[in-house]
Amino acid sequence: MGKAKRYEYDYEQYENGKGPGTMIEDILADPEFGQVTDLTIGSWGSAWEDDCQPILDGIAEKKDQFAHVEKLFVGDMDYEDCEVSWIMQGNYGGLWSALPGLKELTIKGSMDLTLGRVEHEGLEALTIICGGLGSSVFEDLSKAKLPNLKKLVLYIGIDNYGFDGDEDTVRTFLEKSDFPTLEYLGIEDSEIQDQLTKVVLESKYMGQVHTLDLANGTLSDKGGALLLEMLPQFPNIKVLDVHYHYMSEDMVKKLEALPLEVDASEKNEPEEYKGEIWMDAMLTE
Protein backbone atom coordinates (compact mmCIF):
# COMPACT_ATOMS: atom_id res chain seq x y z
CA MET A 1 0.00 0.00 0.00
CA GLY A 2 1.37 3.39 -0.99
CA LYS A 3 2.18 6.28 1.27
CA ALA A 4 0.82 9.82 1.33
CA LYS A 5 3.41 12.51 1.85
CA ARG A 6 3.60 16.29 1.69
CA TYR A 7 6.59 18.37 0.62
CA GLU A 8 6.83 22.09 1.31
CA TYR A 9 9.16 24.90 2.29
CA ASP A 10 8.63 27.42 5.04
CA TYR A 11 9.76 31.03 4.82
CA GLU A 12 13.06 30.33 6.59
CA GLN A 13 13.92 27.63 4.06
CA TYR A 14 12.99 30.02 1.25
CA GLU A 15 15.30 32.67 2.74
CA ASN A 16 18.07 30.07 2.75
CA GLY A 17 17.76 29.38 -0.96
CA LYS A 18 14.97 26.84 -1.26
CA GLY A 19 12.25 27.37 -3.88
CA PRO A 20 10.46 25.80 -6.85
CA GLY A 21 13.80 25.15 -8.53
CA THR A 22 14.99 22.89 -5.69
CA MET A 23 11.74 21.07 -4.87
CA ILE A 24 12.10 18.15 -7.29
CA GLU A 25 15.68 17.49 -6.22
CA ASP A 26 14.61 17.40 -2.57
CA ILE A 27 11.64 15.13 -3.27
CA LEU A 28 13.77 12.64 -5.15
CA ALA A 29 16.39 12.71 -2.38
CA ASP A 30 13.79 11.49 0.11
CA PRO A 31 14.39 7.75 0.70
CA GLU A 32 10.65 7.27 1.29
CA PHE A 33 9.56 8.80 -1.99
CA GLY A 34 9.61 5.49 -3.84
CA GLN A 35 6.61 4.40 -1.75
CA VAL A 36 4.68 7.67 -2.13
CA THR A 37 1.59 7.27 -4.31
CA ASP A 38 -0.26 10.28 -2.86
CA LEU A 39 1.97 13.32 -3.44
CA THR A 40 1.09 16.74 -2.03
CA ILE A 41 3.17 19.81 -2.82
CA GLY A 42 2.50 22.65 -0.44
CA SER A 43 4.21 26.02 -0.38
CA TRP A 44 7.33 26.29 -2.48
CA GLY A 45 8.34 29.23 -0.30
CA SER A 46 7.54 32.06 -2.68
CA ALA A 47 4.25 31.23 -4.34
CA TRP A 48 3.25 34.89 -4.55
CA GLU A 49 6.20 35.77 -6.80
CA ASP A 50 7.54 32.50 -8.24
CA ASP A 51 5.38 30.08 -10.20
CA CYS A 52 5.56 26.33 -9.84
CA GLN A 53 6.68 25.70 -13.43
CA PRO A 54 10.06 24.28 -12.38
CA ILE A 55 8.19 21.72 -10.30
CA LEU A 56 5.87 20.73 -13.13
CA ASP A 57 8.74 20.61 -15.61
CA GLY A 58 10.82 18.60 -13.17
CA ILE A 59 8.10 15.96 -12.82
CA ALA A 60 7.87 15.71 -16.61
CA GLU A 61 11.64 15.48 -17.02
CA LYS A 62 11.96 12.84 -14.29
CA LYS A 63 8.75 11.05 -15.27
CA ASP A 64 10.18 7.58 -14.73
CA GLN A 65 10.89 8.44 -11.10
CA PHE A 66 7.36 9.80 -10.62
CA ALA A 67 5.57 7.00 -12.45
CA HIS A 68 4.21 5.50 -9.21
CA VAL A 69 2.28 8.68 -8.28
CA GLU A 70 -1.49 8.16 -8.38
CA LYS A 71 -2.65 11.31 -6.57
CA LEU A 72 -1.11 14.76 -6.99
CA PHE A 73 -2.03 18.02 -5.24
CA VAL A 74 -0.08 21.09 -6.34
CA GLY A 75 -0.43 24.24 -4.24
CA ASP A 76 -1.89 22.93 -0.99
CA MET A 77 -1.31 25.96 1.21
CA ASP A 78 -3.40 28.22 3.41
CA TYR A 79 -3.48 32.01 3.60
CA GLU A 80 -0.58 32.11 6.05
CA ASP A 81 1.64 30.75 3.29
CA CYS A 82 -0.06 32.58 0.42
CA GLU A 83 -3.57 33.84 -0.34
CA VAL A 84 -5.24 31.56 -2.87
CA SER A 85 -5.63 34.36 -5.40
CA TRP A 86 -1.89 35.06 -5.26
CA ILE A 87 -0.67 31.50 -5.84
CA MET A 88 1.24 31.49 -9.10
CA GLN A 89 0.54 28.27 -10.93
CA GLY A 90 1.96 27.07 -14.26
CA ASN A 91 1.42 25.14 -17.47
CA TYR A 92 0.31 21.54 -16.97
CA GLY A 93 0.59 20.61 -20.64
CA GLY A 94 3.61 18.37 -20.10
CA LEU A 95 2.17 16.58 -17.09
CA TRP A 96 -0.63 14.57 -18.73
CA SER A 97 1.62 12.18 -20.62
CA ALA A 98 4.31 12.16 -17.93
CA LEU A 99 2.09 10.55 -15.28
CA PRO A 100 0.10 7.76 -16.97
CA GLY A 101 -0.80 6.24 -13.60
CA LEU A 102 -2.32 9.44 -12.24
CA LYS A 103 -5.88 9.02 -10.96
CA GLU A 104 -6.49 12.26 -9.07
CA LEU A 105 -5.20 15.78 -9.68
CA THR A 106 -5.93 18.78 -7.45
CA ILE A 107 -4.69 22.25 -8.32
CA LYS A 108 -4.94 25.22 -5.95
CA GLY A 109 -4.55 28.70 -7.38
CA SER A 110 -5.32 29.98 -10.87
CA MET A 111 -2.86 32.78 -11.56
CA ASP A 112 -1.05 31.90 -14.81
CA LEU A 113 -2.76 28.51 -14.81
CA THR A 114 -2.77 26.72 -18.16
CA LEU A 115 -3.96 23.14 -18.55
CA GLY A 116 -2.76 22.72 -22.12
CA ARG A 117 -3.89 19.78 -24.21
CA VAL A 118 -5.69 17.68 -21.63
CA GLU A 119 -5.54 14.00 -22.54
CA HIS A 120 -5.34 11.20 -19.99
CA GLU A 121 -6.81 7.71 -20.10
CA GLY A 122 -6.77 7.01 -16.38
CA LEU A 123 -7.58 10.27 -14.59
CA GLU A 124 -10.66 9.82 -12.41
CA ALA A 125 -10.83 13.08 -10.45
CA LEU A 126 -9.90 16.68 -11.23
CA THR A 127 -10.35 19.55 -8.77
CA ILE A 128 -9.35 23.18 -9.27
CA ILE A 129 -9.57 25.34 -6.13
CA CYS A 130 -9.17 29.06 -6.74
CA GLY A 131 -10.55 32.54 -6.21
CA GLY A 132 -11.39 32.96 -9.89
CA LEU A 133 -11.17 30.58 -12.84
CA GLY A 134 -10.16 32.09 -16.18
CA SER A 135 -12.00 31.43 -19.45
CA SER A 136 -8.87 29.88 -20.99
CA VAL A 137 -9.06 27.06 -18.43
CA PHE A 138 -12.68 26.40 -19.39
CA GLU A 139 -11.59 26.30 -23.04
CA ASP A 140 -8.85 23.77 -22.29
CA LEU A 141 -11.30 21.61 -20.34
CA SER A 142 -13.97 21.81 -23.02
CA LYS A 143 -11.56 20.02 -25.38
CA ALA A 144 -10.29 17.56 -22.78
CA LYS A 145 -10.13 13.85 -23.47
CA LEU A 146 -10.68 12.24 -20.09
CA PRO A 147 -12.70 9.09 -20.81
CA ASN A 148 -12.56 7.82 -17.22
CA LEU A 149 -13.15 11.07 -15.36
CA LYS A 150 -15.65 10.42 -12.59
CA LYS A 151 -15.34 13.57 -10.48
CA LEU A 152 -14.95 17.19 -11.58
CA VAL A 153 -14.93 20.10 -9.13
CA LEU A 154 -14.35 23.65 -10.35
CA TYR A 155 -14.24 26.68 -8.06
CA ILE A 156 -15.61 29.49 -10.21
CA GLY A 157 -14.68 32.43 -7.96
CA ILE A 158 -15.15 36.09 -8.80
CA ASP A 159 -13.97 38.57 -11.41
CA ASN A 160 -11.68 40.44 -9.04
CA TYR A 161 -9.54 37.32 -8.72
CA GLY A 162 -9.58 35.74 -12.15
CA PHE A 163 -13.06 34.76 -13.28
CA ASP A 164 -13.44 36.66 -16.55
CA GLY A 165 -16.64 35.02 -17.78
CA ASP A 166 -20.31 34.66 -16.90
CA GLU A 167 -22.96 31.94 -16.82
CA ASP A 168 -22.64 31.51 -20.58
CA THR A 169 -18.97 30.61 -20.13
CA VAL A 170 -19.96 27.72 -17.89
CA ARG A 171 -22.90 26.77 -20.12
CA THR A 172 -20.66 26.57 -23.19
CA PHE A 173 -18.11 24.50 -21.30
CA LEU A 174 -20.76 22.02 -20.14
CA GLU A 175 -22.16 21.77 -23.68
CA LYS A 176 -18.82 21.25 -25.43
CA SER A 177 -17.08 18.99 -22.90
CA ASP A 178 -17.34 15.23 -23.10
CA PHE A 179 -16.95 13.27 -19.88
CA PRO A 180 -18.83 10.02 -20.49
CA THR A 181 -18.19 8.48 -17.07
CA LEU A 182 -18.75 11.59 -14.92
CA GLU A 183 -20.53 10.81 -11.65
CA TYR A 184 -19.77 13.86 -9.50
CA LEU A 185 -20.13 17.40 -10.83
CA GLY A 186 -19.10 20.38 -8.72
CA ILE A 187 -19.64 23.92 -9.99
CA GLU A 188 -19.17 25.93 -6.85
CA ASP A 189 -17.77 28.96 -5.02
CA SER A 190 -19.47 31.52 -7.24
CA GLU A 191 -21.10 34.89 -6.63
CA ILE A 192 -23.57 33.99 -9.39
CA GLN A 193 -24.45 30.62 -7.88
CA ASP A 194 -28.19 30.97 -8.61
CA GLN A 195 -27.53 31.51 -12.32
CA LEU A 196 -25.03 28.65 -12.42
CA THR A 197 -27.52 26.38 -10.68
CA LYS A 198 -29.87 26.90 -13.61
CA VAL A 199 -27.05 26.28 -16.08
CA VAL A 200 -26.05 23.02 -14.38
CA LEU A 201 -29.63 21.80 -14.04
CA GLU A 202 -30.08 22.28 -17.79
CA SER A 203 -26.82 20.54 -18.68
CA LYS A 204 -26.45 17.12 -20.31
CA TYR A 205 -24.66 15.75 -17.25
CA MET A 206 -27.75 15.87 -15.05
CA GLY A 207 -28.90 12.55 -16.40
CA GLN A 208 -25.73 10.69 -15.46
CA VAL A 209 -24.20 12.12 -12.25
CA HIS A 210 -25.11 10.87 -8.80
CA THR A 211 -23.64 13.82 -6.88
CA LEU A 212 -24.43 17.47 -7.54
CA ASP A 213 -22.12 19.96 -5.80
CA LEU A 214 -23.21 23.60 -5.81
CA ALA A 215 -21.56 24.50 -2.52
CA ASN A 216 -19.58 27.47 -1.24
CA GLY A 217 -21.36 30.14 -3.27
CA THR A 218 -24.18 32.65 -3.01
CA LEU A 219 -27.00 30.17 -3.53
CA SER A 220 -30.25 31.83 -2.39
CA ASP A 221 -33.90 30.83 -2.35
CA LYS A 222 -34.03 31.57 -6.07
CA GLY A 223 -31.57 28.79 -6.78
CA GLY A 224 -33.12 26.61 -4.11
CA ALA A 225 -36.51 26.87 -5.83
CA LEU A 226 -34.94 25.69 -9.09
CA LEU A 227 -33.50 22.69 -7.32
CA LEU A 228 -36.86 21.84 -5.76
CA GLU A 229 -38.55 22.10 -9.13
CA MET A 230 -36.08 20.18 -11.26
CA LEU A 231 -34.33 17.59 -9.10
CA PRO A 232 -37.35 15.23 -9.01
CA GLN A 233 -36.76 14.76 -12.76
CA PHE A 234 -33.39 13.15 -12.01
CA PRO A 235 -33.74 10.11 -9.74
CA ASN A 236 -30.07 9.35 -10.45
CA ILE A 237 -29.08 12.24 -8.15
CA LYS A 238 -28.38 10.70 -4.75
CA VAL A 239 -26.38 13.51 -3.10
CA LEU A 240 -26.86 17.28 -3.17
CA ASP A 241 -24.13 19.42 -1.60
CA VAL A 242 -25.12 23.08 -1.12
CA HIS A 243 -23.23 23.80 2.09
CA TYR A 244 -22.24 27.43 2.61
CA HIS A 245 -25.27 29.18 1.17
CA TYR A 246 -27.71 32.08 1.66
CA MET A 247 -31.02 30.21 1.60
CA SER A 248 -33.77 30.67 4.15
CA GLU A 249 -34.46 28.06 6.81
CA ASP A 250 -37.74 27.25 5.09
CA MET A 251 -36.00 26.52 1.81
CA VAL A 252 -33.39 24.40 3.56
CA LYS A 253 -36.13 22.28 5.16
CA LYS A 254 -37.79 21.77 1.77
CA LEU A 255 -34.54 20.64 0.19
CA GLU A 256 -33.75 18.35 3.10
CA ALA A 257 -37.15 16.71 2.59
CA LEU A 258 -36.14 15.55 -0.88
CA PRO A 259 -35.49 11.77 -1.19
CA LEU A 260 -31.72 12.15 -1.34
CA GLU A 261 -28.77 13.03 0.88
CA VAL A 262 -28.59 16.82 1.30
CA ASP A 263 -25.85 18.90 2.92
CA ALA A 264 -27.24 22.40 3.46
CA SER A 265 -25.05 23.34 6.40
CA GLU A 266 -23.24 26.65 6.92
CA LYS A 267 -26.15 29.01 6.37
CA ASN A 268 -25.06 32.63 5.88
CA GLU A 269 -26.94 35.90 6.16
CA PRO A 270 -26.71 38.56 3.45
CA GLU A 271 -25.30 41.93 4.46
CA GLU A 272 -26.84 45.27 3.58
CA TYR A 273 -24.66 48.25 2.77
CA LYS A 274 -26.01 51.58 1.50
CA GLY A 275 -29.22 49.96 0.42
CA GLU A 276 -27.53 47.10 -1.46
CA ILE A 277 -27.53 43.43 -0.52
CA TRP A 278 -24.15 41.71 -0.51
CA MET A 279 -23.40 37.99 -0.55
CA ASP A 280 -19.90 36.56 -0.79
CA ALA A 281 -18.62 33.29 -2.14
CA MET A 282 -16.67 31.24 0.39
CA LEU A 283 -13.22 31.44 -1.21
CA THR A 284 -12.05 34.44 -3.21
CA GLU A 285 -8.88 36.08 -1.92
Side-chain angles (χ1 to χ4, degrees):
M1 186 174 179
K3 292 173 62 72
K5 196 158 185 182
R6 174 189 182 91
Y7 298 87
E8 63 185 337
Y9 295 140
D10 59 27
Y11 188 72
E12 184 176 349
Q13 289 173 303
Y14 165 62
E15 287 285 280
N16 289 324
K18 296 295 185 180
T22 62
M23 181 68 77
I24 294 300
E25 179 183 356
D26 286 345
I27 290 174
L28 294 177
D30 179 6
E32 293 185 336
F33 180 64
Q35 289 76 51
V36 174
T37 56
D38 185 347
L39 170 61
T40 296
I41 297 174
S43 174
W44 43 91
S46 54
W48 61 91
E49 60 183 6
D50 295 320
D51 62 41
C52 63
Q53 197 63 52
I55 298 172
L56 303 178
D57 291 344
I59 292 174
E61 290 167 6
K62 305 287 186 179
K63 60 183 181 180
D64 291 345
Q65 292 167 271
F66 284 84
H68 54 285
V69 173
E70 297 178 359
K71 297 181 182 180
L72 176 63
F73 189 158
V74 181
D76 183 23
M77 60 190 89
D78 59 25
Y79 70 92
E80 292 182 345
D81 294 312
C82 185
E83 298 282 5
V84 66
S85 61
W86 300 357
I87 298 173
M88 296 185 68
Q89 272 290 336
N91 189 326
Y92 283 71
L95 207 66
W96 306 108
S97 61
L99 297 176
L102 191 66
K103 294 180 179 179
E104 297 183 20
L105 174 62
T106 302
I107 300 168
K108 189 170 184 179
S110 61
M111 187 180 294
D112 297 332
L113 173 63
T114 301
L115 296 182
R117 186 175 180 178
V118 183
E119 293 186 11
H120 199 288
E121 289 292 322
L123 194 73
E124 297 179 358
L126 174 62
T127 300
I128 302 178
I129 303 166
C130 64
L133 198 60
S135 57
S136 63
V137 178
F138 285 105
E139 290 173 10
D140 288 342
L141 282 174
S142 70
K143 303 170 188 174
K145 295 180 180 179
L146 299 171
N148 287 295
L149 189 72
K150 295 178 174 61
K151 180 177 181 178
L152 177 66
V153 178
L154 301 177
Y155 279 50
I156 306 303
I158 65 174
D159 56 5
N160 283 349
Y161 296 112
F163 179 56
D164 55 359
D166 54 23
E167 59 264 38
D168 286 336
T169 305
V170 179
R171 180 181 289 108
T172 299
F173 157 66
L174 292 174
E175 289 173 351
K176 289 185 175 182
S177 60
D178 182 20
F179 305 126
T181 60
L182 197 68
E183 299 174 349
Y184 184 119
L185 176 59
I187 300 293
E188 59 177 85
D189 192 55
S190 174
E191 63 180 355
I192 54 169
Q193 199 70 49
D194 286 339
Q195 294 95 312
L196 295 186
T197 295
K198 184 175 187 296
V199 167
V200 172
L201 287 170
E202 293 174 348
S203 77
K204 62 187 176 186
Y205 294 113
M206 283 300 296
Q208 71 182 67
V209 298
H210 61 59
T211 299
L212 184 60
D213 179 354
L214 300 166
N216 294 319
T218 59
L219 188 70
S220 72
D221 282 0
K222 182 178 180 180
L226 286 171
L227 291 167
L228 280 176
E229 175 188 352
M230 297 186 68
L231 280 181
Q233 302 174 34
F234 303 104
N236 50 292
I237 302 293
K238 305 301 181 184
V239 178
L240 173 65
D241 187 351
V242 288
H243 81 272
Y244 189 100
H245 61 86
Y246 289 83
M247 294 183 293
S248 66
E249 291 184 7
D250 182 59
M251 182 59 70
V252 168
K253 289 179 181 178
K254 290 178 179 178
L255 288 175
E256 290 177 338
L258 290 171
L260 63 155
E261 181 183 337
V262 176
D263 181 355
S265 58
E266 296 185 57
K267 180 181 181 300
N268 296 279
E269 296 295 336
E271 295 184 5
E272 183 175 348
Y273 180 70
K274 293 185 178 180
E276 292 189 48
I277 301 298
W278 295 86
M279 296 183 291
D280 297 316
M282 185 276 294
L283 184 65
T284 53
E285 187 179 14

